[in-house]
Amino acid sequence: MKKGYEIIGRNVHFSRNCEIDIIAREKDTVVFVEVKTRKTLNFGHPFEAINRVKLQKIITGALTYIQDKKLKKFRIDGIAVIGLNNPKIEHLKNLGMD
C-alpha cells in the first residue's frame, strides 16, 4: 500500500488447490501477488519456493479472476520476506510472464 497499490483481496481461493495471497490494483493493472517468507536463507531464498507448478496454479486463478471481472491488464508478482525482526522485503514484478 505504501507503493500506491490498492488491496482488493487477501488469501483468495479459486479452488481447493489455488489460493492467491494478495490481489491488488496498481493504476489500471490488477496484480496477483505470491508472498513467501523465510526466517533465514539457510533453506534457500523465498522466491525458490515459487516453482513451475505453483506459478501455473497462480496463473489459472488469475485467468479465472480476470475473465470473471472482464479485465484486460494484469501481472503476477512475488514478494519475499526474509527475517523476523526488521525483515528484508523484496518485490519481483512479472513472475514468469516474460
Side-chain angles (χ1 to χ4, degrees), residues 14-66:
F14 291 95
S15 70
R16 196 173 78 191
N17 296 320
C18 179
E19 175 190 9
I20 296 181
D21 295 327
I22 298 171
I23 302 175
R25 184 180 320 277
E26 181 189 37
K27 299 178 185 167
D28 63 342
T29 302
V30 173
V31 184
F32 300 91
V33 183
E34 177 67 12
V35 179
K36 292 295 181 188
T37 303
R38 298 289 180 267
K39 293 177 186 176
T40 69
L41 294 177
N42 293 343
F43 297 102
H45 193 281
F47 287 141
E48 293 176 42
I50 306 173
N51 59 29
R52 183 177 298 269
V53 172
K54 180 64 176 170
L55 186 57
Q56 186 57 51
K57 289 178 182 180
I58 296 167
I59 291 169
T60 300
L63 290 174
T64 299
Y65 186 88
I66 65 167

Side-chain angles (χ1 to χ4, degrees), residues 70-83:
K70 297 181 178 26
L71 302 170
K72 296 193 189 304
K73 292 181 71 176
F74 78 98
R75 72 170 192 262
I76 298 172
D77 291 1
I79 292 181
V81 181
I82 304 163

